[in-house]
Amino acid sequence: MKVVALVSGGKDSCYAMMKSIQFGHEIVALANLMPADDSVDELDSFMYQTVGHQIIVSYAECMGLPLFRRRIQGSTRHQTLNYKTTPGDEVEDMFILLNEVKRQIPSITAVSSGAIASDYQRLRVESVCSRLGLVSLAYLWKQDQSLLLQEMITNGILAITVKVAAIGLDPAKHLGKEIAFLTAHLHKLKELYGINVCGEGGEYETLTLDCPLFVNARIVLDEFQTVLHSPGSIASVGVIHPLAFHLENKDTVISLSDNDKASDSSLEKKGSVFVVQGDFPQRSQATWQSNSETTNSVEVRDDRIYISKTKKDNIFSICCWLQDSCKTSAGSHEDLAVVLKHIESQLAGYGFGWEHVLYIHLYIADMNEFATVNETYVRFITQEKCPFGVPSRSTIELPLLQVSLGRAYIEVLVANDNSKNVLHVQSISSWAPSCIGPYSQATLHKEILHMAGQLGLDPPTMMLCNGGPSAELEQALGNSEAVANVFNCSVSTSAIVFTMYCSAHTPPPERLKIQEKQDSFLKQMRLLQLDKGSKCKILDPIFLYVLVPDLPKRAFVEVKPILFVPEDAETAVTSVQNPSCFTVANRWGFQHAQWHDSCIQKCVVSGKICAIILSITENVVVKICSESLGVNDEDVDHQTSVSKGHMERVLRFCVYLLDKVIMENGFSWEDTMTLRTYFPTASGIPLETLSLAFKNAMNELAEMDQRVQVGKEPIYNIVPVLAAGSSAASMNNIITCELFARKF
């Protein structure tokens, strides 16, 4: 991509440019924001470094690139973390500046910035980029600051301190010194006082005088004045005011080929400086109105809309799909619009909106339609509608049409409060894959971390890693770990459930390697956590492997973890020691047998969470049906069990066993947040048969037990798949039930 780099003069913005080039991008312009008054060194700004701004003008000549500059007219008006377009705010100066750069150089598609740890700054750059249709590049984001500082020095960044403002940094001793000279002292201050060695906490600011990007000249600061802002305090604040400087030419000067000159008319401006003026733009409501009109125009046909909903009041799931839409639908995007509109209406009926949604499962019939599906999705779910953060999301292709479930199928998890903590990083970085769009990497709500589906994407390039399915899985788990670390946890110790979606493109022999890679990765990560002295108690997660037709970007694997992140990690109880003494009565003639336990995986956090995966294989079907009166073992096989109506018996067993597990662990059906039933379409089980059998079983349970209540809508979601199982090598379940319950 062609990139405009935001430059402050500091080491971070310069090194961010170097990293952008390393990952294949081209810096074609520079952009800088400076004080309205040249005599002012530093503004009271939460966003911009301005100390040394008098020298930035020389960057155009040093790099041979056009430099666009704007004097800052705004101030800090919108101070909350998530930025909202605010006329008169200093962020709007950046918008005006980058808008003009884009106008003059239309080929620019990305913006580079030096953000390392400040969510405040990153979110504002991302907001401006989103409004301008540009990609944010933040290759220093979340990098280890000690390693990063050494990288900068090793890779030729020559920068001096132009501001110090931290205990242990003395303006008289440390201003104007090269960062290479101060490295040891900065690390000592980190040990003593916990400062940020890269100055991310405002401890110091730098000015780059030379680096490999300065191909034409280096900067020599001849004379400067030290200005003290708070002399005599514990942490004296001092800045440098440049008085004289000059450029020292280098021998190597870049030359442009004829092809380069012909390809971009803006190249004649290289080395020039452009002053960008203009007033603050008026906020436009056109996009919002257009979105509203579009969503309101969606026609909802109730006769083919189906819905399910769990009974929990404070947090529940709603699922919506269409029946037999393939004959009338123009594609997945049309079905999705109908489903999203109906979900929106359902939410409104409870007094909720999209801002209350924590997580969205997006199931589509054809991954080739993903682009148009996403266009429809973003018409409904926007950052404007979700001021507390857009929901996290996973997207997979399912064999929906084979069972007449339409082309789009949506499941949303909803909470009745806005206490969620959303991680939504849109910048491309080396940290984890970006979410360039209205979905988030993860959403933390009431100690449960709902993580977006993770592919095996290389974060800085956003390309699938090489090496096949097992390599993709390792990368996806590494990406999941990076996200988990932001919430001070690890997938190796805090995971409750891992859902592993495997593409049908994955060769069967590779599926075993996937599980081996997963086991070894989690084992290594647990050892690493122990080496770090982690006090978190290790959960024993449960695993579900689901074979699907396709995944985004034609990936082999997608990982979807759910984590438990206790508010008090030291005192949290993370396993069941004494299950409830409550005894579940025998239902439908089922009596506990030892083989029942082999059907169940569970992860229980006592008094808080109960996660269950129930696997019904062909052998289990035979055992269930052979226990029925009048049925001989030799008469029961997989094919005949369905045709003879034994699916009702199987679903009764599923309900019986789920009921037994949740009751014995102190939970109830009313605690259920989600209940999914996966079935392979190749089994030949009609969807109607499965749905009716499950409905009948739940109704019968309610008749036998007054504690169980059945509402108008079913609480279960039926999910058609190619295959599912508790092992990647043997996804041979006839039925798989996934239940997640929790107490508040």
Side-chain angles (χ1 to χ4, degrees):
M1 290 186 286
K2 292 192 174 182
V3 179
V4 53
L6 290 170
V7 292
S8 62
K11 65 186 187 320
D12 302 338
S13 58
C14 285
Y15 194 55
M17 285 192 285
M18 292 175 63
K19 297 296 286 185
S20 296
I21 293 170
Q22 176 187 331
F23 290 115
H25 306 296
E26 178 187 3
I27 309 295
V28 298
L30 309 174
N32 170 252
L33 289 142
M34 58 182 179
D37 186 343
D38 282 335
S39 65
V40 173
D41 291 298
E42 185 177 34
L43 296 177
D44 183 17
S45 169
F46 292 175
M47 275 295 295
Y48 310 120
Q49 172 188 322
T50 57
V51 180
H53 67 86
Q54 300 89 343
I55 294 177
I56 303 303
V57 66
S58 61
Y59 276 36
E61 185 174 343
C62 289
M63 295 183 65
L65 293 174
L67 170 64
F68 294 79
R69 306 191 81 189
R70 175 177 172 82
R71 296 189 182 275
I72 301 169
Q73 299 177 20
S75 58
T76 305
R77 295 192 178 186
H78 189 97
Q79 298 185 14
T80 57
L81 185 60
N82 290 299
Y83 181 70
K84 183 178 181 181
T85 305
T86 305
D89 192 276
E90 60 185 354
V91 175
E92 298 308 305
D93 286 296
M94 184 197 304
F95 177 85
I96 295 171
L97 174 64
L98 293 179
N99 187 49
E100 178 61 19
V101 176
K102 185 180 177 183
R103 188 189 70 81
Q104 292 202 35
I105 312 178
S107 60
I108 285 177
T109 56
V111 176
S112 167
S113 67
I116 298 176
S118 172
D119 283 304
Y120 183 93
Q121 294 175 356
R122 173 187 60 79
L123 287 166
R124 279 153 175 73
V125 173
E126 289 177 353
S127 174
V128 170
C129 286
S130 178
R131 291 161 61 189
L132 292 172
L134 299 171
V135 176
S136 171
L137 304 179
Y139 284 118
L140 310 189
W141 182 250
K142 290 293 182 186
Q143 299 302 292
D144 182 280
Q145 291 189 41
S146 296
L147 297 177
L148 194 56
L149 183 62
Q150 188 55 51
E151 275 186 34
M152 293 180 189
I153 297 168
T154 303
N155 286 282
I157 297 281
L158 192 157
I160 62 170
T161 52
V162 290
K163 176 185 176 180
V164 294
I167 186 170
L169 290 176
D170 184 346
K173 295 180 181 179
H174 302 124
L175 271 178
K177 297 296 189 294
E178 293 183 18
I179 54 171
F181 172 78
L182 291 176
T183 300
H185 185 61
L186 292 171
H187 280 93
K188 182 179 178 181
L189 295 181
K190 177 188 175 184
E191 294 177 4
L192 291 173
Y193 310 115
I195 75 161
N196 296 279
V197 295
C198 280
E200 273 295 282
E203 294 89 346
Y204 69 94
E205 292 177 358
T206 61
L207 178 68
T208 301
L209 301 179
D210 194 14
C211 71
L213 300 176
F214 290 8
V215 292
N216 295 328
R218 61 179 63 87
I219 301 167
V220 178
L221 181 59
D222 299 311
E223 187 180 354
F224 64 84
Q225 176 185 358
T226 299
V227 180
L228 297 179
H229 290 312
S230 55
S233 65
I234 296 177
S236 297
V237 178
V239 301
I240 278 179
H241 177 73
L243 298 174
F245 69 94
H246 71 276
L247 299 185
E248 190 175 273
N249 291 333
K250 293 184 176 181
D251 295 334
T252 303
V253 180
I254 58 170
S255 61
L256 300 172
S257 67
D258 292 338
N259 290 337
D260 289 335
K261 292 178 181 178
S263 65
D264 196 333
S265 61
S266 67
L267 294 179
E268 63 185 15
K269 304 173 185 176
K270 285 183 177 288
S272 302
V273 178
F274 301 89
V275 177
V276 177
Q277 299 178 342
D279 297 327
F280 293 111
Q282 295 298 314
R283 188 178 182 187
S284 173
Q285 298 295 327
T287 301
W288 172 263
Q289 291 171 356
S290 173
N291 286 345
S292 299
E293 291 168 4
T294 302
T295 57
N296 288 333
S297 67
V298 175
E299 213 175 285
V300 180
R301 291 181 50 187
D302 291 334
D303 62 317
R304 56 190 183 95
I305 293 174
Y306 288 77
I307 197 156
S308 68
K309 178 189 174 296
T310 53
K311 294 180 65 63
K312 204 168 181 65
D313 293 327
N314 50 2
I315 181 168
F316 55 89
S317 63
I318 302 177
C319 186
C320 187
W321 67 94
L322 303 178
Q323 193 76 15
D324 293 323
S325 70
C326 57
K327 297 177 182 178
T328 57
S329 171
S332 298
H333 63 285
E334 184 177 290
D335 281 9
L336 181 63
V338 174
V339 170
L340 287 172
K341 182 60 180 176
H342 196 68
I343 290 285
E344 196 170 62
S345 299
Q346 289 283 318
L347 292 173
Y350 296 106
F352 298 158
W354 292 112
E355 70 271 20
H356 293 93
V357 175
L358 306 176
Y359 200 94
I360 294 179
H361 286 84
L362 174 58
Y363 305 133
I364 58 177
D366 187 355
M367 196 58 69
N368 291 318
E369 297 185 56
F370 179 76
T372 55
V373 163
N374 218 36
E375 288 174 7
T376 302
Y377 183 92
V378 301
R379 288 181 0 224
F380 287 83
I381 301 157
T382 64
Q383 295 186 57
E384 289 84 0
K385 293 181 182 179
C386 304
F388 303 101
V390 288
S392 301
R393 185 182 86 180
S394 66
T395 306
I396 60 173
E397 180 182 317
L398 291 180
L400 301 175
L401 295 178
Q402 288 89 319
V403 291
S404 301
L405 275 180
R407 299 177 186 272
Y409 184 129
I410 286 285
E411 180 189 331
V412 299
L413 183 65
V414 188
N416 67 349
D417 60 50
N418 285 311
S419 62
K420 63 183 180 182
N421 179 8
V422 175
L423 177 66
H424 185 201
V425 179
Q426 299 179 72
S427 300
I428 294 178
S429 68
S430 297
W431 162 71
S434 66
C435 291
I436 306 174
Y439 68 98
S440 302
Q441 279 93 350
T443 300
L444 179 64
H445 180 260
K446 305 291 187 184
E447 300 185 312
I448 304 296
L449 185 63
H450 305 273
M451 196 177 295
Q454 287 288 343
L455 303 178
L457 294 172
D458 176 45
T461 63
M462 290 297 290
M463 302 291 289
L464 287 170
C465 66
N466 297 321
S470 58
E472 281 189 24
L473 176 68
E474 184 173 24
Q475 182 68 60
L477 288 170
N479 295 338
S480 301
E481 180 69 4
V483 174
N485 290 166
V486 175
F487 296 90
N488 299 314
C489 62
S490 168
V491 293
S492 64
T493 57
S494 301
I496 304 164
V497 182
F498 281 102
T499 302
M500 306 287 194
Y501 297 113
C502 301
S503 166
H505 305 300
T506 306
E510 292 292 329
R511 296 173 196 169
L512 181 59
K513 294 181 182 178
I514 286 175
Q515 187 160 349
E516 291 173 349
K517 178 62 70 175
Q518 159 223 296
D519 293 341
S520 64
F521 180 92
L522 294 177
K523 182 178 180 180
Q524 291 173 5
M525 291 306 301
R526 285 179 179 176
L527 292 175
L528 183 61
Q529 292 297 313
L530 292 174
D531 290 342
K532 290 180 178 179
S534 173
K535 297 180 180 180
C536 292
K537 298 178 182 178
I538 297 175
L539 288 169
D540 188 13
I542 55 180
F543 295 87
L544 173 62
Y545 297 86
V546 181
L547 188 66
V548 298
D550 207 355
L551 295 169
K553 294 183 178 288
R554 298 293 185 265
F556 288 115
V557 184
E558 180 174 331
V559 177
K560 185 176 73 71
I562 300 177
L563 281 66
F564 175 58
V565 185
E567 294 176 357
D568 187 346
E570 293 187 13
T571 60
V573 179
T574 56
S575 62
V576 168
Q577 303 297 330
N578 298 302
S580 170
C581 60
F582 180 82
T583 301
V584 178
N586 295 330
R587 314 286 193 196
W588 299 288
F590 293 118
Q591 296 184 1
H592 178 70
Q594 190 171 358
W595 63 268
H596 291 184
D597 296 334
S598 65
C599 303
I600 289 289
Q601 292 184 76
K602 66 178 181 179
C603 181
V604 181
V605 179
S606 184
K608 293 189 175 184
I609 296 165
C610 180
I612 307 168
I613 292 174
L614 170 59
S615 299
I616 306 297
T617 63
E618 184 174 339
N619 290 335
V620 172
V621 170
V622 171
K623 290 180 179 180
I624 294 170
C625 295
S626 65
E627 290 182 355
S628 301
L629 294 176
V631 178
N632 297 320
D633 290 356
E634 61 269 19
D635 293 331
V636 180
D637 57 42
H638 167 54
Q639 294 297 327
T640 59
S641 64
V642 176
S643 62
K644 290 181 179 179
H646 294 297
M647 185 48 61
E648 286 201 4
R649 182 71 177 168
V650 172
L651 266 297
R652 285 176 181 139
F653 176 78
C654 291
V655 172
Y656 156 75
L657 207 51
L658 290 173
D659 182 58
K660 182 176 184 294
V661 174
I662 61 176
M663 293 298 179
E664 286 182 346
N665 288 284
F667 291 81
S668 69
W669 288 99
E670 281 66 35
D671 295 321
T672 302
M673 284 169 46
T674 58
L675 174 57
R676 301 185 191 96
T677 299
Y678 301 89
F679 76 102
T681 53
S683 67
I685 306 171
L687 177 67
E688 294 79 5
T689 299
L690 188 63
S691 181
L692 181 60
F694 215 127
K695 180 180 178 180
N696 290 340
M698 292 300 298
N699 287 335
E700 291 167 8
L701 179 65
E703 291 175 2
M704 290 184 281
D705 192 336
Q706 293 183 351
R707 292 175 298 111
V708 180
Q709 297 181 357
V710 177
K712 182 175 66 173
E713 296 101 358
I715 68 169
Y716 52 85
N717 304 330
I718 298 179
V719 184
V721 295
L722 297 182
S726 56
S727 166
S730 57
M731 291 182 276
N732 56 2
N733 289 359
I734 303 300
I735 293 291
T736 308
C737 296
E738 178 189 9
L739 184 146
F740 194 99
R742 78 152 304 165
K743 292 182 178 293
F744 288 97

